[in-house]
Amino acid sequence: MPKDSNAPTRRRAKTPKFGDSRHLFARLREALAAGAASLPDIATLVARELPADGSVIYVARAGEILELAATHGLNIAAVGRTRLRVGEGIIGMVAASGDTLNLADAQNHPRYVYRAEIGEDAMASMLAVPVKRAGRILGVIAVMSRQARVFAPVEVESVATVAMLLAEILATAGATNMSEEGFSETLPRRYAGHVLSPGIARGTILAYGMTAPIARLLTDDPAAELKRLDKAIDAANKNLDGLIAASLPGGNAPRDVLEAYRMVAQSAGWLTQVRAGIADGLTAETAVDKVSRNLRDRMRKIADPYLRERLSDIEDMTGRLMVALGGMAPKPERADGYVLLVRRLGPADLLDWHARGIAGVAIEEASPSGHAAILARALGLPALQVDRGAVEAANAGDEALLDAEGATLILRPEPEVIQVYDRALAARSVRAAALAGYRDVPSITRDGTSFNLMLNVGLALELDQLDRTGAAGIGLYRTEIAALAAGGIPDVAGQAAEYGRVMDRAKGRRVQFRTLDLGADKLLPGESNQGEENPAMGWRSLRVGLDRPAILRRQLRALLLGAQGRPLAIMFPMVATVEEFRAARDLLEAEATRIRPAPESLEAGTMIEVPSLLFQLPGLLAEADFVSVGTNDLMQFLFAADRGTPELADRYDTLSAPVLELLERLVAACNEAGVPLSVCGEAAGRPLDALAFAAIGVNTLSMSGNAILPVKSLLVEADLNALRPVLRELRRAGAAGGSIREPLAAWAREHNLPV
Ligand code: PEP
Ligand code: MG
């Protein structure tokens, strides 16, 4: 257990208790039931029960104003008269930031604003807590003491609970006309990160996973609530036990991690706090929510990663409890105009949100070559990996600017910033119009080298991009994407219909279908790779296809049927040996003998994603009809760097001597064997990488639709003959393995190339 005085599991001399709060809660409950709680009553009750020398309640008014609505112990004549702007004084600051302030010497705080009419001269300390509901600030409640002191944690918790209840009272059916709409926290916050899919989105934050407003806050039957809590704990524990049982026996790492998680998550400390809340008259979900808010507030302030991890384990467990208590928000039907902000996101979920109309996505744990990122690019959906902390700082309903060009997420942006972005959006449409002009320009560099730009796609809705971009064909059709979108693999007829439609839309242009590449982070509903320590290197992709040949054979049959006699090119993912390629090709040939009409031509190719293939090139190239380099997986296996880990996203570069060397040798081997080569990993769609690849002899590049015209606009302006000696020199200088990206970009800019 961490020895931290802030840790929620620390032993206290006695269980935290809310003074004689039951009396206060009973009064509040009555007021709620009657639909007319009086603010002066609440101000008085809080001050008396805490006890404190004074209390104030400010409520939000139109125009970002806070108005003094009730007080105990201060000048009652100021009620309705004292008004503060959001951000003004300590109360205004609390409303702007959404953070609690606990000040022993409030009057000497730099933001203190003196208002003679309130009569607070004698008060030394102040505890001010925002009154929030569903991301809106409805007011601020503060208690004061004549004696200079910091309010104790138990007092802070008590006032925070009253603030929660007050929020419900203020929001209840406009019951009392006490509060208007409220307003959001107003202080802007910026988070840096990595671009996953370029674009800019303006919208409202949708922080999925946040809890819905709680329907029932207080109870007069704590015993029943404690039973509900125990049942929920039981359900959440069973769920966790299931996860642990599914991991491999024998002390492997994931199991250890889960066990450690269970120890922290089930530790008595925070559950005691939940139980104490219920005993005080809160419903089980209110008590869990209160502890979880508390944790989030503390996590914001803790820099130590170990402690943050522990707190986040508990926060995760509170989430499980909320689900078990039925208090988790369901996904909204539509998400138009929203920016999704989440910790993690799988490709299937990303598709689901896209279908609901989401404007952009910010993910804390993601990396540019992960599948969620690839899908986002394919869909043209702006997406950003953001630094940790954004999810905690955001409230549902916050305005947000997702700048997946400048790699920034801005929460609650200032109006001037919004104006700047509006101008940038306008400029983007001008650039898009200029790029569209390249669609029909011949794909030939200045030195006369022809090249082919092809599309990476996986969904019918992406096929429009063939005509929009003027692509030469489809260099990578990821067949698993449709299965992920549908939540399962369609039957043979369903698959054949899909493949036939793709070929129809390609209108004779080449299509390279890749067989199912499932596993690792591409999991169908119900599948899990809990048992694998390294799923990316585990039982996935073609390995599953060869071990369970029925699925692969059905897919090959569907491809042959869908082709209806047209030329057909099929490639296999994650091939590690020539034998695997041969086994897959044999299955294809066996199916091909049974299907009529036979395709006009049938090509079997392979992805080059596993480095072992590079050492079997003569054998491989003697058998494969074409090859396509998947730089995403190849990079992760070459550098032993997980493609989904954001911290590694910038660590190794495709534009470095080892990768360029590897590609150059591959080009030479393919040329010698007369086997066509393409590059279809994400690097192929980055203009500078594409330029370097072209210079070393790769003339077919396959990429997301939104990359085609930017890459083409660069290549048609490039003189590869001039670039080659420069590239050689840069590679020599960077031979130790370092990136040549910066100097190459500088060369390109000097030559007026649009990088
Ligand atoms: C790759 O690995 O580079 C590739 C194109 O395949 P995927 O991204 O679908 O794994
Ligand atoms: Mg791959």
Side-chain angles (χ1 to χ4, degrees), residues 517-588:
D517 184 22
L518 289 165
D521 67 335
K522 289 190 276 196
L523 296 174
L524 292 172
E527 285 184 341
S528 105
N529 42 33
Q530 287 293 334
E532 295 187 299
E533 271 193 45
N534 294 303
M537 295 194 278
W539 195 59
R540 56 172 282 212
S541 196
L542 184 68
R543 297 164 183 189
V544 180
L546 292 178
D547 291 353
R548 300 268 186 279
I551 300 172
L552 179 55
R553 290 185 78 135
R554 272 203 295 275
Q555 184 180 27
L556 296 171
R557 205 174 309 147
L559 284 159
L560 288 154
L561 285 168
Q564 289 288 319
R566 289 171 281 193
L568 183 61
I570 296 175
M571 61 180 174
F572 303 106
M574 279 294 286
V575 175
T577 66
V578 178
E579 288 71 26
E580 283 176 349
F581 172 73
R582 199 176 294 140
R585 193 201 53 199
D586 288 350
L587 289 178
L588 173 63

